[in-house]
Amino acid sequence: MTPPLYIALRFLTHRKRALLLSLSGVVFGVAIFICTQAQTQGFARYFIDSTIGSNGALVIRSRFRPRYEPLMVSAKGSKATMGRRLYFEGITNPNEIMRVSRQFSNIVSCSPVLRGTVSARAGFENATVDLYGIDPALHAQTTDILHQLINGNFDDFRNNTSSIIIGSRLAELLQAGVGDTVQLLAPNGEFWRFTVAGIARAGIGSIDATRIYAHARVAQALLQQPSGATMIIYKLRDPNRAPALASRFETLFQHNASSWQEREESTLQLFLTLRMSVAITVSLIILLAGFGIFNVLTMSVLAKIKEIAILRSMGYRRIDISLIFLWQGAVIAVAGSLLGCSLGALMTWGVSHIPIRLRGLLYTNYFLVTWDWRHYAFATLLALIAVFIASYVPARRAAQLPPVVTIRGSR
Amino acid sequence: MNSQICLSCKGIERYLGEEEERVHALRGVSLEVEAGSVHAVVGPSGCGKSTLLYILGLLDPPDTGQVAIESKSVSHLSDDELARTRNKFIGFIFQFHFLMEDFTAQENVMIPMRKLGQLSDVQMRERANDLLEAVGLGDKLRRASRHLSGGEQQRVAIARALANDPRVILADEPTGNLDTANSDRAFELLQNIVK
């Protein structure tokens, strides 16, 4: 143990109240940072997993071709590309697009979907629903529908073309359970009868309240759609690379392609804003803790002026004196971060057990948290920086104190 | 003869204070101190005794003049090198013992040794015990320095000044804060050390 560390530890342990004050600031700052980040990211992560699990990481929709208007010149820097396209509903030759897109290494699987809006009736209840005509096998590979089933059996759906899977909130609205009959209104005014084979909960209110899955061919007949698919959804190995792949697919297939980031941009921005807002607030707490440490160490320097002079007279260098106070800060930062991380984990665990009944944007019965080592690393880094800055000034001041002035003053 | 000179200074000038309060404290002080000798600087209060001591102890730089330890000038040394020289060659005893309050008597004596870094922890402890034994505090090794009497604290300060076996011991009115009995004991100790 170096002499400055030895002396720093002794100084620290002999001022227990000051040590406790400094330490508690760092501990609570780090813990609250971790806990709040775990919560805000928990909700965001749940939303992202749910939306990717239900709607895929990438979706190809309408075919387009450039609008040939050579006399029209757009303004410089204008992003009016969309305006210069003509869109045609539906996917042209979905099987060929899927065959080619499967060649891409990032593609895990893909599923064609025929989508339309219809009215649903069960008993005396009516609702406007989002009908998804799917290939059960491909859809099960591409989405989390198997895990989302909270009632019923996917095999029953797969083996019965006149069966459907309905969203959990829609099931509540229609008061329909597994085995019940739900009627869907075709555009020609004819009601088609379906048996509910399963109830799915994606966890996102807008999906659970409107979605019905039916077999693709049945949906095609019901919706009287000429094309076999209105969109293709993709499961990716790395969903974070979806925007780049979407851009590539647009060029390659001349179909509109959108990543989950683009699709959910507004909600993701909301989560990001919330997370940043909380992070700023909690960072201020850590900075406040740093300010507390600055005060404690400055007071310590003032209280130890005599000791500093003695040490200098015994041959301790200015850097040794600085190190004594920097070590005190370092010990507080390291111990505070370790304790803060432990407390943060405990608080996160505790928060994840707090009951909360959310049935809006998301479906959950408990607070959602995420366990991410980066929260702990970032909180620790923030604490170390704050404490270092807080210790540096008093340490520097202590080193600059001329010993003779103190010794003379003590006479 | 020159090889026995352990401390010397030549033409030391020192001004204290600023502007109207500026005082010419030391005027061309020169001296040579031989190893194994005891010297006393005497004079009225404010004549610059302590100022000279701090300059000789490398705590305060002179305005002009040179200080040499074992015939080697230290005027050109950096602050770090001066600190190292102080640690190795000089032991200070102040009027007020200036012990580290958070440390025991033994730990106080070990502080200069820790900085020098030539002894192991066990060796430092043994040397501190021997020195404290020599100043009559063998039974109070682990007592916190603030719980010692004034005389005992000054004796710990003397032991601490001897910790690194320095070539020069500079004592600034070491008995100025002690009663007669403790003063006599401290003087006796210092003279025994020189012998």
Side-chain angles (χ1 to χ4, degrees), chain B residues 76-109:
Chain B
H76 61 284
L77 295 183
S78 68
D79 195 70
D80 283 359
E81 287 167 329
L82 286 174
R84 212 168 290 130
T85 308
R86 229 168 20 239
N87 180 242
K88 194 170 179 181
F89 292 102
I90 298 168
F92 269 108
I93 303 167
F94 298 102
Q95 179 180 354
F96 296 95
H97 50 82
F98 273 168
L99 294 183
M100 306 275 280
E101 287 182 358
D102 299 334
F103 296 76
T104 63
Q106 185 192 53
E107 288 165 343
N108 261 288
V109 178

Side-chain angles (χ1 to χ4, degrees), chain A residues 132-375:
Chain A
Y132 269 51
I134 58 169
D135 176 320
L138 287 178
H139 209 72
Q141 280 174 19
T142 310
T143 67
D144 292 340
I145 194 166
L146 291 177
H147 303 291
Q148 290 172 359
L149 276 184
I150 55 167
N151 223 333
N153 192 325
F154 194 75
D155 287 335
D156 292 346
F157 170 68
R158 192 202 312 259
N159 298 331
N160 181 359
T161 54
S162 63
S163 66
I164 53 172
I165 292 172
I166 64 174
S168 57
R169 289 183 70 189
L170 183 61
E172 285 171 22
L173 190 71
L174 295 174
Q175 295 180 2
V178 173
D180 290 348
T181 300
V182 171
Q183 298 183 70
L184 300 181
L185 182 62
N188 61 6
E190 194 181 325
F191 274 104
W192 291 44
R193 294 168 66 84
F194 292 92
T195 308
V196 177
I199 294 172
R201 183 187 295 140
I204 297 175
S206 59
I207 295 175
D208 293 336
T210 57
R211 190 163 295 181
I212 288 184
Y213 295 99
H215 284 254
R217 291 205 176 283
V218 176
Q220 189 178 8
L222 187 147
L223 294 167
Q224 297 171 2
Q225 286 266 1
S227 98
T230 48
M231 59 184 190
I232 301 170
I233 65 177
Y234 289 89
K235 182 176 187 176
L236 304 184
R237 282 194 175 81
D238 181 4
N240 292 326
R241 282 164 49 206
L245 195 60
S247 170
R248 186 98 191 269
F249 277 8
E250 281 205 343
T251 313
L252 190 65
F253 301 128
Q254 295 293 295
H255 278 69
N256 176 248
S258 60
S259 61
W260 63 273
Q261 291 95 329
E262 187 187 337
R263 192 175 68 221
E264 309 294 352
E265 192 180 7
S266 55
T267 313
L268 291 174
Q269 274 182 351
L270 182 73
F271 281 124
L272 186 67
T273 310
L274 189 69
R275 226 179 124 196
M276 283 179 69
S277 164
V278 172
I280 289 168
T281 311
V282 181
S283 299
L284 287 176
I285 296 175
I286 292 182
L287 286 180
L288 212 63
F291 188 69
I293 290 165
F294 171 80
N295 281 338
V296 166
L297 286 180
T298 302
M299 293 301 290
S300 172
V301 169
L302 293 175
K304 299 291 181 192
I305 280 181
K306 200 179 74 181
E307 275 86 347
I308 291 167
I310 303 165
L311 289 168
R312 294 279 287 138
S313 75
M314 287 191 289
Y316 280 73
R317 299 167 299 164
R318 287 184 198 280
I319 184 73
D320 296 322
I321 304 298
S322 278
L323 283 172
I324 289 171
F325 290 90
L326 287 174
W327 269 121
Q328 290 184 59
V331 169
I332 291 169
V334 171
S337 297
L338 284 173
L339 289 170
C341 284
S342 310
L343 184 64
L346 200 68
M347 281 167 69
T348 304
W349 180 84
V351 164
S352 72
H353 285 75
I354 295 174
I356 176 177
R357 189 182 154 81
L358 283 188
R359 297 292 184 269
L361 175 65
L362 302 172
Y363 178 98
T364 179
N365 290 318
Y366 289 95
F367 259 85
L368 298 166
V369 297
T370 186
W371 296 92
D372 191 339
W373 65 269
R374 282 170 297 193
H375 297 160

